[in-house]
C-alpha cells in the first residue's frame, strides 16, 4: 500500500527534483516508510511506501535487472502475487524479493497492456515502458482494480501534451504544469449526489480513472482509456445459492486477514462489518493467532443513534479485544478542515469525519491493516432507497425518488436555494441527478430489471466515488491499509449470480449471519455509520459556529450561486426544529464552501478561477 505519482511528456527536459519533492510531500502521510523517485528526459515515477507485504523488500519504483526500461509503481495489494510469481518464474523471470509489486515489470513484459487482466486485488498501477525498438515507442500505462478501491487522478495538458498523475488530488496540484479550476456545477453536484460520481472530478482539468480501466499514454497524446472485462473468480468459486454466502465470504476474509503487519477490524455494530469481524476472529482462533482487535467509533456525551451497544455485542460474540473510540465533539470543527483537505474534492456526507477519526485511532493503537465491510449494500441490495424503488408500482417515478434519496438536498429544496442565474445555468447544463435518472430509466427501457439497473449504477459509479475513495484517502491519511472482502471478485461474482429475491434487502447476508452474529444485531433496523449531524447542528453545538461562518450572507452573496436569505431561513428552521434533511443540506453547502477555500490554498495558478 502506497501513494504513487509521476509525469510523462514528449520533451527532453528532466522534471525538477524540487517539484517532485513537493508532490511527494503532499501525500507522504499515506506512505511514511520509504520515499523514492526516478526521473529522466520527459518522465518521472515516484512512490511513498507503506510497507505491508515483504516490508524489507519491494523498493519502488520496481525494476528487474533482466528487463531494463520497464519500471512500475503500485498503490494497493495484489493478493494473487504468489501464483503470478510462480507462473512468471517458470517463464524465466527472476525476482529479488517476495513483495507483491515486484512481479509487475515481468507481468507487463509478458502481456503488455493486458497485464492488469491478471491481477487480483485492490490496486492503482503505473508502468513506464522506456524500451527502444519495441514498435510502440515509449509509453505510460495506468490501471485500477475492477471496483475502484485504489484511485489514480490524471491531468493532461493539451498545450504541451504532458500527462501527470497522483494518488491524491492535492499531490497532483503540486506539479508545476497542472492548470485547473473548480467546476461551475460542483455545488449542484454536491447537493444532488453528495460528491462527484463520474470520471470527472470537482476540478475542471482533473479526471479519475474509472473502475476496471486501463489508460495508455503516448508522448504528446491524451490518455486512451478502456474498460477491461471484469476479473472473474475461477470456476466453482462462486456458489449459486444464498446459503453459501458464509462460505464465499469466509474464504475472502481468511485471505485478506493474513499480513506481515498487525491487522484489526472495523466493527460498526451492523450486519456487514459484523460478518467480517466474526469470520476474521474465527480464523484467528483456528490458527492460534492472538485475538482479533476491533474498533468502533462513538462520541463523548449522549447522542441519538449510537451503535456502541451493538458493536460491543458483536465483539463479545466474536471474542475480540474491543476498542471503543470516543471523539470529543469540540474537535469536530478541526476534523472537518482536515478531511476536506485530504479528500481533495467535496464529500457532503458527515461520515467523512467519523472515518478519519476512526482510522486515526487504529494507527495510534499500532495497526497497519484494517478489515472493513464496505460494498455489501451495493452488491446485495441493502439500501432503503433500493427497497422503495422495487416496491414502487408500475408507472411511478421510482428513478426520480431513488435519485433524490442520494442527495444532500432534494431537488425542490436545492432549486429553492439557488439564485435565478445559477438555477438557469443548471437547467441548461443538466444536473448530475438528471444524468443518473436517465441512466436508470434507459437501463430499465432496454430490459434490465430495476434491481439490476440500480446495482450496476451503485457499483460502477457511486461505490467507488462515494465510499471507496473516501475510505482510501482517510485511512491512508493515517497510513492504514483498509481491506474490503465484499469488494473481492469472488464475492462480487457470487452476488451477481444470485436470483433477485436473494439480493433484495441483503437476504443472503442475513442467512449467513444467523450462526455468527447476535440476534439483536440481525434484528435491528438498518442504520448508516455516520455523524449525528442533525443533533450537532443545534444551539450550543461546537460545530454550529463553524457552519454558521461558512454560510455567512456576505460569503454566499459573493459566490453568486445561493440565495443567502433562503439559506439563512433554512438554518433558522434547523435551529428551531432540527431535522436530518435540513441539517444535511446545510452541511453540504458548508462543505462546498470550505472545499473552495482549501483548493484555493493548494496553489491554483494565476489566471485560473477560484
Amino acid at each position: 500500500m502506497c501513494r504513487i505519482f509521476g509525469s510523462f511528456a514528449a520533451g527532453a527536459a528532466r522534471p525538477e527534483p524540487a517539484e517532485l519533492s513537493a508532490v511527494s510531500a503532499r501525500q507522504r502521510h499515506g506512505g511514511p516508510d520509504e520515499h523514492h523517485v526516478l526521473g529522466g528526459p520527459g518522465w518521472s515515477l515516484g512512490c511513498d511506501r507503506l510497507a505491508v507485504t515483504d516490508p524489507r523488500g519491494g523498493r519502488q519504483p520496481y525494476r528487474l535487472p533482466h528487463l531494463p526500461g520497464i519500471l512500475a509503481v503500485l498503490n494497493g495489494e495484489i493478493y494473487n502475487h504468489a501464483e503470478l510469481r510462480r507462473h512468471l518464474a517458470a517463464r524465466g523471470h527472476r525476482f529479488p524479493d517476495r513483495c507483491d509489486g515486484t512481479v509487475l515489470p515481468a507481468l507487463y513484459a509478458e502481456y503488455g497492456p493486458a497485464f492488469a487482466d491478471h491481477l487480483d486485488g485492490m490496486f492503482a498501477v503505473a508502468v513506464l515502458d522506456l524500451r527502444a525498438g519495441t514498435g510502440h515507442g515509449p509509453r505510460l500505462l495506468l490501471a485500477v482494480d475492477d471496483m475502484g478501491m485504489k484511485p489514480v487522478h490524471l491531468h493532461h495538458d493539451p498545450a504541451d501534451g504532458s500527462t501527470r498523475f497522483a494518488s491524491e488530488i492535492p499531490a497532483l496540484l503540486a506539479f508545476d504544469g497542472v492548470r485547473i479550476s473548480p467546476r461551475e456545477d460542483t455545488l449542484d453536484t454536491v447537493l444532488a449526489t453528495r460528491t462527484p460520481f463520474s470520471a470527472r472530478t470537482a476540478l475542471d482539468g482533473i479526471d479519475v480513472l474509472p473502475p476496471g480501466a486501463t489508460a495508455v499514454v503516448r508522448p504528446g497524446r491524451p490518455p486512451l482509456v478502456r474498460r477491461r472485462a471484469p476479473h472473474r473468480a475461477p470456476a466453482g468459486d462462486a456458489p449459486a445459492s444464498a446459503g453459501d454466502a458464509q462460505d464465499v465470504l469466509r474464504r475472502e476474509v481468511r485471505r485478506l486477514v493474513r499480513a506481515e503487519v498487525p491487522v484489526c477490524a472495523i466493527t460498526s455494530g451492523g450486519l456487514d462489518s459484523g460478518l467480517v469481524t466474526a469470520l476474521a476472529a474465527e480464523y484467528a482462533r483456528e490458527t492460534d493467532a492472538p485475538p482479533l482487535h476491533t474498533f468502533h467509533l462513538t462520541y463523548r456525551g449522549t447522542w441519538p443513534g449510537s451503535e456502541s451497544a451493538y458493536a460491543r455485542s458483536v465483539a463479545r460474540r466474536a471474542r475480540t479485544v474491543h476498542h471503543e473510540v470516543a471523539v470529543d465533539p469540540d474537535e469536530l470543527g478541526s476534523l472537518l478542515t482536515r478531511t476536506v483537505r485530504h479528500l481533495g474534492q467535496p464529500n457532503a456526507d458527515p461520515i467523512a469525519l467519523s472515518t478519519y477519526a476512526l482510522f486515526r485511532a487504529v494507527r495510534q493503537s499500532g495497526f497497519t491493516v484494517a478489515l472493513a465491510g464496505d460494498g455489501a449494500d451495493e452488491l446485495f441490495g441493502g439500501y432503503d432507497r433500493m427497497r422503495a424503488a422495487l416496491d414502487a408500482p408500475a408507472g411511478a417515478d421510482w428513478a426520480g425518488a431513488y435519485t433524490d434519496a442520494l442527495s444532500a438536498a432534494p431537488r425542490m429544496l436545492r432549486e429553492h436555494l439557488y439564485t435565478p442565474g445559477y438555477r438557469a445555468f443548471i437547467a441548461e447544463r443538466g444536473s448530475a441527478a438528471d444524468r443518473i435518472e436517465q441512466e436508470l430509466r434507459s437501463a430499465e427501457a432496454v430490459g434490465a430489471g430495476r434491481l439490476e439497473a440500480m446495482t450496476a449504477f451503485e457499483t460502477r459509479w457511486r461505490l467507488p466515488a462515494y465510499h471507496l475513495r473516501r475510505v482510501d484517502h482517510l485511512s491512508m491519511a493515517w497510513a492504514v491499509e483498509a481491506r474490503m472482502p465484499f469488494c473481492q471478485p469472488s464475492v462480487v461474482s457470487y452476488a451477481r449470480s444470485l436470483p433477485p429475491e436473494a439480493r433484495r434487502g441483503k437476504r443472503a447476508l442475513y442467512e449467513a449471519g444467523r450462526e455468527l452474529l447476535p440476534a439483536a444485531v440481525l434484528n435491528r433496523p438498518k442504520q448508516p455509520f455516520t455523524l449525528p449531524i442533525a443533533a450537532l447542528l443545534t444551539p450550543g453545538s461546537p460545530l454550529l459556529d463553524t457552519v454558521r461562518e461558512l454560510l455567512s450572507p456576505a460569503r454566499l452573496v459573493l459566490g453568486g450561486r445561493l440565495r443567502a436569505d433562503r439559506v439563512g431561513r433554512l438554518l433558522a428552521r434547523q435551529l428551531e426544529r432540527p431535522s436530518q434533511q435540513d441539517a444535511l443540506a446545510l452541511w453540504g453547502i458548508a462543505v462546498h464552501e470550505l472545499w473552495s477555500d482549501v483548493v484555493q490554498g493548494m496553489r491554483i495558478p494565476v489566471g485560473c478561477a477560484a
Side-chain angles (χ1 to χ4, degrees):
M1 184 66 70
C2 308
R3 279 349 212 175
I4 61 174
F5 60 94
S7 59
F8 193 56
R14 290 176 176 267
E16 290 293 332
E19 176 188 5
L20 299 178
S21 293
V23 175
S24 173
R26 287 270 182 95
Q27 55 185 25
R28 190 162 295 177
H29 45 261
D33 297 329
E34 292 181 63
H35 320 286
H36 297 292
V37 183
L38 295 176
W43 64 269
S44 68
L45 207 57
C47 173
D48 300 292
R49 186 189 183 199
L50 176 63
V52 174
T53 302
D54 191 10
R56 295 190 178 186
R59 177 168 176 165
Q60 297 198 47
Y62 300 111
R63 293 178 290 179
L64 296 176
H66 67 287
L67 294 173
I70 301 178
L71 303 89
V73 288
L74 163 70
N75 170 28
E77 292 287 337
I78 300 171
Y79 299 125
N80 65 334
H81 68 94
E83 299 95 306
L84 291 174
R85 186 177 290 103
R86 287 193 293 270
H87 168 72
L88 293 167
R91 297 180 66 85
H93 296 283
R94 296 293 176 262
F95 305 98
D97 53 45
R98 298 178 295 102
C99 190
D100 53 346
T102 306
V103 303
L104 289 170
L107 194 68
Y108 171 78
E110 292 289 333
Y111 300 105
F115 78 96
D117 296 341
H118 301 268
L119 299 177
D120 175 11
M122 55 176 183
F123 58 84
V125 176
V127 175
L128 192 60
D129 185 351
L130 300 173
R131 295 174 299 174
T134 57
H136 54 66
R139 60 184 177 180
L140 169 71
L141 295 97
L142 302 164
V144 297
D145 62 78
D146 289 353
M147 299 297 283
M149 288 180 276
K150 295 287 111 179
V152 61
H153 300 90
L154 309 172
H155 175 272
H156 177 75
D157 188 344
D160 63 8
S162 61
T163 297
R164 297 169 177 85
F165 70 90
S167 296
E168 299 185 13
I169 288 175
L172 188 55
L173 296 183
F175 276 108
D176 290 340
V178 171
R179 298 289 186 269
I180 56 93
S181 62
R183 297 180 59 86
E184 185 65 21
D185 61 353
T186 294
L187 172 64
D188 180 72
T189 299
V190 170
L191 293 182
T193 59
R194 307 196 193 190
T195 198
F197 286 172
S198 70
R200 298 186 305 184
T201 71
L203 294 168
D204 194 14
I206 294 182
D207 294 331
V208 61
L209 203 59
T214 297
V216 179
V217 186
R218 301 183 187 278
R221 303 181 195 173
L224 180 62
V225 179
R226 70 171 182 90
R227 298 285 293 261
R228 305 185 304 273
H231 182 100
R232 298 294 182 188
D237 269 12
S241 70
D244 290 323
Q246 187 183 113
D247 293 334
V248 68
L249 186 58
R250 176 178 282 112
R251 283 198 293 272
E252 285 303 340
V253 169
R254 292 184 172 213
R255 199 162 66 121
L256 270 59
V257 78
R258 295 193 288 267
E260 298 174 62
V261 293
V263 179
C264 67
I266 303 301
T267 305
S268 69
L271 170 67
D272 312 333
S273 68
L275 282 169
V276 171
T277 295
L279 293 171
E282 173 190 89
Y283 178 77
R285 291 193 298 272
E286 291 181 3
T287 57
D288 293 323
L292 179 73
H293 286 244
T294 51
F295 286 80
H296 174 79
L297 188 81
T298 185
Y299 301 92
R300 292 181 190 171
T302 303
W303 301 97
S306 173
E307 299 181 276
S308 298
Y310 296 112
R312 288 194 293 268
S313 178
V314 170
R316 282 194 301 269
R317 176 72 173 264
R319 287 176 277 169
T320 71
V321 179
H322 193 54
H323 304 255
E324 197 167 280
V325 182
V327 172
D328 187 343
D330 288 338
E331 188 190 6
L332 294 176
S334 64
L335 287 180
L336 173 60
T337 301
R338 290 180 225 166
T339 56
V340 169
R341 183 181 300 121
H342 278 289
L343 290 171
Q345 58 180 336
N347 185 312
D349 197 322
I351 194 176
L353 275 66
S354 308
T355 305
Y356 179 89
L358 184 58
F359 284 112
R360 177 179 64 183
V362 166
R363 184 65 179 188
Q364 290 175 346
S365 297
F367 293 90
T368 307
V369 171
L371 270 62
D374 295 83
D377 284 304
E378 290 79 3
L379 289 164
F380 292 90
Y383 289 119
D384 290 341
R385 61 179 175 269
M386 301 174 93
R387 287 194 285 269
L390 293 173
D391 291 338
D397 184 18
W398 68 270
Y402 171 90
T403 304
D404 240 11
L406 300 172
S407 69
R411 184 184 293 271
M412 288 184 64
L413 176 58
R414 60 180 184 267
E415 291 181 352
H416 172 74
L417 296 175
Y418 294 160
T419 61
Y422 193 61
R423 189 163 55 246
F425 170 79
I426 295 300
E428 181 182 351
R429 288 280 297 271
S431 171
D434 299 330
R435 293 186 285 274
I436 293 169
E437 287 183 36
Q438 181 59 41
E439 179 175 333
L440 294 172
R441 292 192 181 103
S442 297
E444 187 180 39
V446 297
R450 291 182 188 178
L451 181 60
E452 286 71 22
M454 291 184 290
T455 300
F457 163 73
E458 293 275 356
T459 55
R460 180 175 179 177
W461 294 120
R462 186 176 183 274
L463 176 63
Y466 185 63
H467 286 289
L468 302 182
R469 197 181 304 158
R470 184 188 66 241
V471 170
D472 170 76
H473 282 39
L474 300 183
S475 62
M476 290 296 278
W478 290 99
V480 174
E481 176 181 294
R483 296 183 177 180
M484 291 160 281
F486 283 107
C487 293
Q488 287 305 112
S490 68
V491 181
V492 174
S493 297
Y494 165 67
R496 290 173 176 165
S497 73
L498 289 172
E501 62 270 16
R503 279 188 286 156
R504 181 172 176 144
K506 296 196 288 194
R507 189 172 302 169
L509 297 187
Y510 278 102
E511 287 189 27
R514 286 178 184 170
E515 301 172 354
L516 299 170
L517 298 174
V521 172
L522 293 173
N523 298 329
R524 59 170 295 198
K526 179 173 174 55
Q527 177 182 330
F529 162 65
T530 191
L531 190 76
I533 189 63
L536 282 165
L537 289 187
T538 54
S541 161
L543 264 181
L544 182 58
D545 287 344
T546 299
V547 171
R548 199 193 299 271
E549 181 180 347
L550 290 167
L551 303 182
S552 70
R555 180 187 187 106
L556 298 184
V557 168
L558 184 63
R561 301 178 184 91
L562 292 162
R563 288 192 55 168
D565 57 336
R566 292 182 177 179
V567 173
R569 286 197 291 272
L570 182 66
L571 179 57
R573 186 172 74 184
Q574 165 65 20
L575 297 179
E576 183 179 343
R577 298 187 305 277
S579 78
Q580 181 68 16
Q581 179 176 297
D582 290 350
L584 190 54
L586 292 164
W587 184 258
I589 297 170
V591 166
H592 175 268
E593 293 300 309
L594 179 57
W595 170 78
S596 299
D597 291 346
V598 168
V599 168
Q600 181 64 32
M602 288 178 184
R603 193 202 56 81
I604 296 181
V606 175
C608 290

